[in-house]
Amino acid sequence: MCQVNGLLRAICLVFLTWFWVIFHVTSFSAKRFTYIVHMDKSVMPKVFNSHQNWYSSTVDSLNLKNLHSFGGHRSSPELLYTYDHAAHGFSAVLSLAELEALKKAPGFISAYPDSSAQLYTTHKPEFISLDTASALLHASNYGKDTIIGIVDSGVWPQSPSFNDEGITTKVPSKWKGSCDRGQGFNSSMWNAKLIGVRYFNKGAKENIPLYIQDSALDRRGHGTAVFSIAAGNYVKGVSFADYAEGTAKGVAPHARVAVYKEDLFKNSVAIATFAAMEKGIVVSAAAGNSGPHCSSVENGFPWALTVTASNTDRQISGTLIMGNGLNIAGWSLFPGYILSQTMPLLHEKTMSNCISPVLLSKSPYGIVICEIGDIKRQIRSILRVNLTAIILIHEDPPGVVFQVKAPYPYIVIRPKDASFVITYAKNGNTPFASMRFRQTFIGIKPAPTVAFYASRGPSKDFPNILKPDIMAPGTLVLAASSPYSREGSTGSNNFAKSSYMFKFGSGTSFSNPHVAGVAALLKSVHPKWSVAAIISAIITTASIRDNTMHPTREANINFETASPLAMGAGQIDPNKALDLIFDATPQDYVNLICSFRRFKPQIKTITRSSNYSCVNPSSDLNHPSIITSYAFKNFMRNKGISEDRNKCRRRCTNL
């Protein structure tokens, strides 16, 4: 075809290009995606006796209207789930043409593609003063009969953290949930602790059907860890490679838990949390792990608690013992005991940046010292070669040690300590050292410090409300896990298999369940408090000082004083959060939304109702913390940082 020259060739080329464009556009329009659709339930035709029938009929009607011309292909829209609590509407698999037709249907409000959101112990409860003598813990009877709902990657029910020992009462009559059976998950696995198990995987199976299990069983380990931090029961003699040995327990050890395995929709979080607030359910959400850049905080809704992460006073340690008599305690999760033999300390220019696996592979026998640099590239590099031992340098060692997982001895140290090591390696007479592992130190100062990785404010959506709200332990948290999980692995496969029940994790998604547990305890003591009251009690009683009685600091080189944009109101202090409250109603939050012009078209989507109005838009919310854009802009200008917070890539520290 088209074996001609000149003008005919050009005409033929244009025809082929036109045909390809038409075919490509038509094929793309026929391709089907999963969408979350919000409907106005108040306009449901009277002919339908339930919203489920209405939604089903609406989707079926699309099947009759959309006949694609190529090959006589008829699209087949599929209804996946219907929603009538956190949202009004449904999820469905639709083509672009079907989506356009749906937008003309009565009651349609909005639709957006389904997309997955990022999934953002033995000492942590004591660190936030929830020990056996805790006033809040006793007043709440350890969270008795409070129910915590967790939306995550599922649960591993065989974990000892989910035993129901000490929970002697029946499941509260207010509980209306259920338990889904599934692959590897039967009725014998739920008890008086684990009272609800649901999974929602139809949308995910549309995209990756071979890898999605019909079960709430947690193969990733993340949901299991979050569950155990918030409400895990007491488990004695827990450790990971003898690190952090002690009794594992959640913040509310006798609370009940309902677990929901679901691919989260980013756009649905605001809607679901608003609905929960209306029903008196306190929601805490992770702030994200995109720090220390400005305006990187996620889930910055004023009706939910946005939780950031801190480092604690516990050091999971490895010690470097140098030939000049100096010992330096760093951080390590290496499962060995003592690297007793002394080895040369190596600091060579050709490999000291440690980003080239080729150069590192040529390293002679000894302990390689990596200069401070791009830690992510260094970690990728050292995992590709076999070294005798290695020293990494970073300003926030506890925040990065979890990522290392090297199969050979390693220690991560701070820059101020590294200067002594490098000086000795350069100037010493045949410098040498050995290493010792499986050490845990308590009482490290200063603590808490703001984790280096934690996302920073202000919120892009609600810049006049201070976000994050609160800080809680999130670094190197020892929590229950799944045997299939690679999270928390030390790089030693044999050891990881033998210690799967509890592993270390870091991130704001590990700090978040601490706050959820505290909210559950407060709800036990004050069952009539509103969501706003509980949120304000937690925020207004937070601590802004560390264990040296100085203002809380950043976990960076200079331990700079942390700003509210980094730590919110400060570290959570549960025992003080019993009295002082600020209250607000759902309409108060709607008035705040209405005060932002760009949100007005989304009012009905968020509130799922026509009962709210924008008659009195106001940014004057009775909230325990605020931020003024004037002060923020002045400070950014004085620091020489761009005023455009959306483009700010500088570190948002010491503000």
Side-chain angles (χ1 to χ4, degrees):
M1 187 178 180
C2 292
Q3 302 295 319
V4 291
N5 296 321
L7 180 62
L8 288 179
R9 177 180 292 177
I11 294 172
C12 194
L13 180 61
V14 169
F15 171 77
L16 287 176
T17 303
W18 173 83
F19 180 84
W20 180 86
V21 169
I22 295 298
F23 178 80
H24 177 75
V25 170
T26 306
S27 298
F28 184 76
S29 66
K31 190 174 181 180
R32 300 163 74 238
F33 303 90
T34 304
Y35 292 91
I36 311 301
V37 180
H38 294 277
M39 302 288 285
D40 185 351
K41 188 179 176 182
S42 65
V43 302
M44 181 179 74
K46 294 182 179 180
V47 67
F48 298 107
N49 58 11
S50 72
H51 69 283
Q52 289 95 338
N53 291 340
W54 179 36
Y55 300 151
S56 178
S57 176
T58 300
V59 173
D60 288 343
S61 69
L62 301 175
N63 192 32
L64 299 174
K65 293 179 180 178
N66 291 286
L67 179 67
H68 296 293
S69 59
F70 278 82
H73 170 70
R74 184 183 296 275
S75 66
S76 300
E78 180 184 359
L79 182 69
L80 300 179
Y81 297 103
T82 62
Y83 310 121
D84 195 37
H85 296 290
H88 294 154
F90 55 88
S91 60
V93 180
L94 306 170
S95 69
L96 293 178
E98 291 159 354
L99 177 63
E100 289 305 311
L102 175 64
K103 291 179 180 179
K104 301 174 184 178
F108 175 86
I109 295 177
S110 63
Y112 46 82
D114 172 6
S115 61
S116 297
Q118 180 184 3
L119 292 176
Y120 308 132
T121 100
T122 55
H123 177 62
K124 308 305 181 185
E126 286 86 354
F127 184 66
I128 58 175
S129 301
L130 278 178
D131 53 19
T132 55
S134 164
L136 179 58
L137 204 58
H138 281 281
S140 65
N141 200 2
Y142 301 86
K144 176 184 176 183
D145 288 344
T146 302
I147 301 170
I148 300 177
I150 295 173
V151 183
D152 213 293
S153 61
V155 65
W156 187 257
Q158 296 95 328
S159 169
S161 288
F162 311 146
N163 74 83
D164 57 4
E165 183 178 350
I167 304 176
T168 57
T169 56
K170 294 181 180 179
V171 176
S173 59
K174 62 184 176 182
W175 172 242
K176 307 300 180 185
S178 60
C179 291
D180 290 347
R181 292 177 174 84
Q183 294 173 297
F185 213 122
N186 56 53
S187 59
S188 66
M189 293 179 176
W190 47 81
N191 55 23
K193 160 68 73 174
L194 181 59
I195 63 172
V197 178
R198 301 293 309 277
Y199 66 92
F200 306 90
N201 63 354
K202 292 180 182 178
K205 288 182 75 172
E206 284 292 325
N207 299 319
I208 44 176
L210 297 179
Y211 299 96
I212 301 301
Q213 187 181 35
D214 288 322
S215 173
L217 207 63
D218 183 15
R219 292 184 173 272
R220 183 171 178 178
H222 193 278
T224 301
V226 170
F227 179 158
S228 69
I229 295 167
N233 213 334
Y234 293 91
V235 183
K236 295 181 179 179
V238 168
S239 71
F240 184 80
D242 291 340
Y243 291 106
E245 187 173 2
T247 297
K249 52 194 170 296
V251 173
H254 285 179
R256 322 281 183 148
V257 175
V259 175
Y260 301 88
K261 183 176 182 179
E262 184 171 10
D263 282 338
L264 297 179
F265 319 117
K266 287 184 178 179
N267 291 351
S268 291
V269 177
I271 301 165
T273 53
F274 188 93
M277 176 272 298
E278 282 185 303
K279 296 181 181 294
I281 299 171
V282 180
V283 177
S284 64
N289 305 319
S290 301
H293 299 302
C294 299
S295 292
S296 54
V297 66
E298 299 177 6
N299 301 316
F301 323 116
W303 48 84
L305 274 164
T306 308
V307 186
T308 192
S310 67
N311 301 330
T312 69
D313 67 340
R314 182 176 68 188
Q315 182 167 338
I316 308 303
S317 186
T319 300
L320 182 68
I321 305 164
M322 297 193 294
N324 61 359
L326 185 63
N327 294 353
I328 293 178
W331 280 258
S332 183
L333 279 171
F334 183 69
Y337 278 104
I338 300 176
L339 194 63
S340 57
Q341 71 269 30
T342 58
M343 296 173 293
L345 272 175
L346 307 174
H347 185 264
E348 301 181 11
K349 284 187 177 181
T350 56
M351 65 181 68
S352 62
N353 62 8
C354 293
I355 59 174
S356 170
V358 175
L359 292 177
L360 279 175
S361 64
K362 299 177 182 178
S363 170
Y365 173 81
I367 303 173
V368 175
I369 304 171
C370 295
E371 290 274 15
I372 189 169
D374 188 332
I375 191 69
K376 291 184 178 179
R377 290 183 65 186
Q378 290 176 339
I379 290 173
R380 287 196 297 267
S381 180
I382 67 173
L383 292 180
R384 293 173 60 184
V385 296
N386 248 342
L387 298 174
T388 311
I390 198 163
I391 297 171
L392 293 170
I393 305 169
H394 195 267
E395 55 192 284
D396 183 23
V400 302
V401 67
F402 171 70
Q403 305 172 35
V404 181
K405 304 176 185 177
Y408 47 81
Y410 68 92
I411 290 176
V412 185
I413 61 177
R414 293 190 185 277
K416 65 181 181 64
D417 296 322
S419 61
F420 298 106
V421 180
I422 293 173
T423 299
Y424 173 59
K426 285 182 175 180
N427 304 324
N429 184 17
T430 61
F432 62 91
S434 61
M435 293 177 169
R436 182 179 295 119
F437 298 99
R438 297 196 179 189
Q439 299 172 306
T440 303
F441 302 123
I442 302 294
I444 302 302
K445 296 181 179 181
T449 54
V450 180
F452 182 84
Y453 56 80
S455 293
R456 312 302 162 107
S459 168
K460 295 176 183 177
D461 295 327
F462 296 94
N464 60 330
I465 300 295
L466 178 61
K467 291 288 177 174
D469 291 305
I470 198 76
M471 185 169 69
T475 301
L476 291 176
V477 178
L478 186 63
S481 189
S482 157
Y484 294 98
S485 170
R486 293 182 61 86
E487 296 185 19
S489 170
T490 62
S492 171
N493 290 332
N494 291 333
F495 182 79
K497 289 178 181 177
S498 66
S499 300
Y500 73 83
M501 282 297 187
F502 289 86
K503 294 181 182 177
F504 283 105
S506 294
T508 55
S509 55
F510 286 84
S511 58
N512 179 35
H514 286 87
V515 177
V518 171
L521 297 178
L522 286 171
K523 194 71 173 177
S524 293
V525 179
H526 298 288
K528 295 185 179 180
W529 273 9
S530 68
V531 170
I534 290 178
I535 288 177
S536 66
I538 290 174
I539 293 176
T540 55
T541 56
S543 173
I544 61 172
R545 296 192 177 275
D546 59 27
N547 55 5
T548 69
M549 298 310 297
H550 287 92
T552 300
R553 288 169 260 194
E554 295 273 0
N556 57 24
I557 293 176
N558 299 317
F559 282 105
E560 299 166 324
T561 300
S563 82
L565 295 176
M567 66 175 182
Q571 181 86 343
I572 192 168
D573 193 343
N575 291 319
K576 293 181 180 178
L578 286 169
D579 300 305
L580 182 60
I581 60 173
F582 290 74
D583 212 346
T585 66
Q587 183 64 57
D588 292 329
Y589 291 114
V590 172
N591 293 342
L592 175 66
I593 299 172
C594 293
S595 69
F596 292 91
R597 184 180 303 173
R598 66 182 183 278
F599 287 151
K600 283 188 177 180
Q602 302 176 16
I603 294 294
K604 191 175 288 187
T605 299
I606 295 173
T607 62
R608 312 147 0 268
S609 171
S610 301
N611 296 332
Y612 297 104
S613 69
C614 277
V615 175
N616 298 308
S618 173
S619 59
D620 187 18
L621 181 68
N622 187 28
H623 196 76
S625 59
I626 61 172
I627 183 172
T628 62
S629 59
Y630 175 79
F632 179 78
K633 287 181 179 179
N634 272 351
F635 185 89
M636 298 286 277
R637 191 179 298 114
N638 292 337
K639 288 282 186 179
I641 304 175
S642 168
E643 290 185 21
D644 185 348
R645 293 191 298 275
N646 294 332
K647 297 179 180 178
C648 173
R649 302 306 300 166
R650 290 277 299 275
R651 288 185 180 181
C652 198
T653 58
N654 196 28
L655 296 184

